[in-house]
Amino acid sequence: SDGKTLRLRADPLVEFLRKGLVPPPREQRDLTEEERRGKGVFESPKTQCATCHVPASGFTDRSAVALRGFKALPFFSEDPKREYKVPSLLYVAGTAPYYHDGSVLTLEDLVNNNADRMGHTSHLSADDRAALVAYLKTL
């Protein structure tokens, strides 16, 4: 190959190495009333979302947590360790599917069917769950 072809392939890599991953642009705006309510739900000691997804450290505490209440999908073996690092929730609205195995397709399904496996959300009303989802989509 000639130097020109090599340069065409190398330039994007050089730019990435210099800049790293750049987050997508985000519209800066005030939270809506529903999103503010969802933030309150997220930060509530009763739900404990912010215990592991700590806002001050990129919405994660970077700990490894054993998942409860999950069964292996068909054709997959159970993971004997069953510990996973708490992921950041930044840009979570664009990272579907969810859970360690990709078994949940939407944030709405994740929050509505959580069954207290992550945080304590089973006591939430449908409106509080919708508000929590609306807030998560702003992260």
Side-chain angles (χ1 to χ4, degrees), residues 31-45 47-50 55 59 89 111 121 124-139:
L31 296 177
T32 66
E33 184 178 327
E34 180 182 41
E35 292 163 348
R36 279 193 305 276
R37 193 166 101 236
K39 181 179 182 187
V41 170
F42 181 86
E43 293 173 344
S44 166
T47 58
Q48 297 183 348
C49 299
F59 289 89
L89 295 182
V111 170
T121 57
L124 296 176
S125 69
D127 287 343
D128 283 344
R129 287 184 183 141
L132 178 57
V133 169
Y135 173 66
L136 291 173
K137 289 180 177 181
T138 69
L139 301 179

Side-chain angles (χ1 to χ4, degrees), residues 1 3 9 34 41 45 59 66 103 110 134:
S1 84
R9 294 188 330 215
E34 180 182 41
V41 170
F59 289 89
S103 62
L110 185 147

